[in-house]
């Protein structure tokens, strides 16, 4: 057996949530050889036992299917609402990795997948919190995108208790086809319509919003602070990075608003490459940062065949640079990546391994990282 079995290629293949991650203590076989411990089917503890359930969630593995993913999302959202959280984030790949990598997959395909997933999520929340949630609104940035979603769903009310609308809505009594004042507003970068709550809505699900629409979400929260807002697959990591650039909202939006958004279900994969001085000279590896509320953030390394190995877990969300280093340190322990001197390590990583919004900021909340 060669010393290095590489490259490690990781596909987005989910592992069943019905299994808990057990400590990787060696088990001796009849031949006296040590093998890795196995995964056993462990039923989750009662949610009323807060400490035990948090420990279970902290060792929960990524789901095996989109059905299990939806069940986990609904449970995490329900528990987060029980604990009083109003601004929550759900983030996961809306399509399998091999589909997302296809050249003919467009932004419309991703948006349609997110819409279908959001409809199922809304339906599940209505059932899971019957009586507490009676109406869910799925909001898109403007009327044009809302019309597109309504066309795909077949109706503005595709399910009982679910409504599709827009964050910023124009006057419903204005039926003019051409609006000359809107032309001037567009030239000066001013948005059309107003942001206002929808009557009777208990939960808002925000879809396909860009960094420019983030202030509209903040305005909705200020106008309706007691209602839950779900940031659904918005890739907030990327949107936060745009803040402060020309024509984008300022960085203070992160401090006063986005930093309060709690990631209650977070599944993001990252692919990396690392050069080595030994064959095969290039190591490709991929990891997954996974969190299901109220559990911890888990750093998982894909070992191939759709299986993840738990590397670390933390009550705070690691910056992406730290997450990558955790994977590299584990591969070094396994002998896959060789140790290097401090100088070469510095040249690879630089003096800073986090983005500005991942740093400690005196005026920001720690909700985004806990």
């Amino acid at each position: 057996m060669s010393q290095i079995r590489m490259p490690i290629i990781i596909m987005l293949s989910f592992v069943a949530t019905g299994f808990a991650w057990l400590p990787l203590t060696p088990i001796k076989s009849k031949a006296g050889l040590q093998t890795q411990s196995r995964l056993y089917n462990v039923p989750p503890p009662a949610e009323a036992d807060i400490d035990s359930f948090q420990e279970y969630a902290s060792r929960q593995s990524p789901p095996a299917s989109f059905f299990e993913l939806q069940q986990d999302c609904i449970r995490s959202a329900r528990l987060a609402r029980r604990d009083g959280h109003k601004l929550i984030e759900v983030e996961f790949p809306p399509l399998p990795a091999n589909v997302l990598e296809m050249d003919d997959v467009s932004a419309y395909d991703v948006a349609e997948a997110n819409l279908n997933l959001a409809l199922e999520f809304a339906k599940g929340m209505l059932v899971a919190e019957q009586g507490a949630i009676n109406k869910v609104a799925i909001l898109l940035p403007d009327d044009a995108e809302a019309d597109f979603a309504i066309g795909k769903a077949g109706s503005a009310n595709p399910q009982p208790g679910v409504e599709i609308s827009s964050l910023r809505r124009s006057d419903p009594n204005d039926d003019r086809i051409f609006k000359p004042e809107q032309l001037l507003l567009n030239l000066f970068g001013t948005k059309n319509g107003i942001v206002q709550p929808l009557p009777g809505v208990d939960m808002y699900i925000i879809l396909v919003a860009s960094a420019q629409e983030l202030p509209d979400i903040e305005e909705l929260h200020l106008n309706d602070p007691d209602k839950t807002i779900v940031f659904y697959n918005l890739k907030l990591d990327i949107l936060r990075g745009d803040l402060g650039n020309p024509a984008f909202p300022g960085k203070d939006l992160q401090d006063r608003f986005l930093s309060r958004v709690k990631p209650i279900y977070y599944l993001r994969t990252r692919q990396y490459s690392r050069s080595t001085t030994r064959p095969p000279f290039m190591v490709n590896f991929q990891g997954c940062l996974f969190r299901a509320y109220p559990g911890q953030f888990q750093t998982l390394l894909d070992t191939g065949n759709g299986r993840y190995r738990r590397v670390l877990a933390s009550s705070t969300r690691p910056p992406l640079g730290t997450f990558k280093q955790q994977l590299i340190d584990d591969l070094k322990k396994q002998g896959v990546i060789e140790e290097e001197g401090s100088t070469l390590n510095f040249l690879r990583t630089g003096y800073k391994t986090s983005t500005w919004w991942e740093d400690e900021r005196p005026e920001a909340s720690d909700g985004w990282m806990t």
Side-chain angles (χ1 to χ4, degrees):
M1 181 177 180
S2 60
Q3 292 181 343
I4 301 178
R5 181 177 293 176
M6 299 306 296
I8 297 178
I9 302 295
I10 295 172
M11 302 298 292
L12 181 59
S13 179
F14 298 128
V15 182
T17 54
F19 293 88
W21 288 93
L22 300 181
L24 291 176
T25 52
I27 299 176
K28 284 191 175 182
S29 65
K30 293 180 179 179
L33 299 177
Q34 288 189 339
T35 60
Q36 294 287 347
S37 61
R38 301 179 181 87
L39 294 174
Y40 295 91
N41 195 5
V42 180
E47 294 175 5
D49 189 346
I50 297 176
D51 293 337
S52 297
F53 191 84
Q54 185 174 14
E55 175 64 21
Y56 168 80
S58 297
R59 292 185 173 274
Q60 180 178 331
S61 56
S65 65
F66 279 102
F67 173 78
E68 291 180 2
L69 184 148
Q70 286 282 19
Q71 298 304 307
D72 292 344
C73 283
I74 292 167
R75 180 174 62 187
S76 295
R78 178 170 51 80
L79 294 176
R81 278 173 42 84
R82 181 194 67 182
D83 293 341
H85 300 295
K86 302 297 184 183
L87 302 172
I88 59 179
E89 177 187 10
V90 171
E91 186 64 51
F92 61 86
L95 293 169
N98 58 334
V99 176
L100 287 172
E101 292 171 357
M102 293 180 179
D103 295 334
D104 57 347
V105 175
S106 67
Y108 289 103
D109 296 323
V110 176
E112 185 175 358
N114 276 321
L115 173 63
N116 293 330
L117 290 166
L119 287 170
E120 290 299 318
F121 176 75
K123 180 180 178 181
M125 290 302 299
L126 287 167
V127 174
E129 295 204 47
Q130 189 173 9
I133 296 180
N134 298 308
K135 186 176 181 181
V136 178
I138 298 176
L139 301 184
L140 291 96
D142 54 37
D143 291 335
E145 289 175 284
D147 290 342
F148 172 81
I150 292 171
K152 290 294 183 180
S155 169
N157 301 99
Q159 299 171 2
V162 179
E163 178 181 355
I164 299 176
S165 186
S166 58
L167 264 170
R168 187 171 288 273
R169 296 183 296 279
S170 56
D171 185 355
N173 297 320
D174 188 357
D175 56 358
R176 293 176 298 163
I177 298 177
F178 177 70
K179 302 175 183 179
E181 71 279 5
Q182 181 55 36
L183 179 61
L184 294 174
L185 291 174
N186 290 337
L187 289 175
F188 289 99
T190 304
K191 300 177 183 178
N192 182 37
I194 57 175
V195 177
Q196 57 184 357
L198 290 171
V201 170
D202 301 300
M203 172 182 281
Y204 297 97
I205 301 175
I206 311 298
L207 285 184
V208 300
S210 66
Q212 282 88 350
E213 281 87 37
L214 292 176
D216 291 345
I217 305 176
E218 181 186 24
E219 185 175 349
L220 175 65
H221 174 64
L222 294 175
N223 291 338
D224 209 356
D226 295 329
K227 304 303 169 58
T228 302
I229 298 180
V230 183
F231 295 68
Y232 199 87
N233 284 349
L234 297 188
K235 294 186 177 181
L236 284 182
D237 294 358
I238 298 175
L239 301 188
R240 287 184 173 107
D242 291 332
L243 299 180
N245 293 330
F248 286 89
K251 292 183 178 181
D252 58 319
L253 182 64
Q254 162 67 14
D255 296 339
R256 69 173 185 266
F257 179 61
L258 293 180
S259 63
R260 297 161 54 199
V261 179
K262 183 171 291 293
I264 55 102
Y265 194 85
Y266 189 87
L267 195 162
R268 289 296 299 271
T269 58
R270 291 288 189 273
Q271 301 86 26
Y272 303 106
S273 296
R274 176 95 173 194
S275 60
T276 65
T277 59
R278 299 178 299 177
F281 304 112
M282 183 64 69
V283 176
N284 299 316
F285 61 98
Q286 177 171 310
C288 170
L289 184 59
F290 178 60
R291 194 272 178 98
Y293 186 89
Q296 296 178 312
F297 290 89
Q298 299 183 72
T299 298
L300 306 176
L301 176 68
D302 193 316
T303 58
N305 299 323
R307 294 186 177 275
Y308 290 102
R309 177 160 55 80
R310 190 171 187 256
V311 175
L312 287 172
S314 173
S315 57
T316 57
R317 173 173 159 183
L320 290 180
T322 302
F323 167 73
K324 178 182 178 181
Q325 191 59 47
Q326 290 171 348
L327 297 178
I328 291 174
D329 290 343
D330 185 76
L331 291 174
K332 287 180 179 180
K333 292 179 182 178
Q334 304 300 321
V336 175
I337 293 178
E338 58 193 359
E339 291 285 350
E340 296 174 333
S342 58
T343 301
L344 185 54
N345 278 332
F346 176 79
L347 293 175
R348 284 185 182 275
T349 61
Y351 77 97
K352 187 175 177 61
T353 58
S354 61
T355 56
W356 64 266
W357 57 269
E358 293 175 316
D359 296 333
E360 282 193 29
R361 298 174 64 84
E363 298 179 1
S365 167
D366 63 354
W368 70 272
M369 60 184 299
T370 60

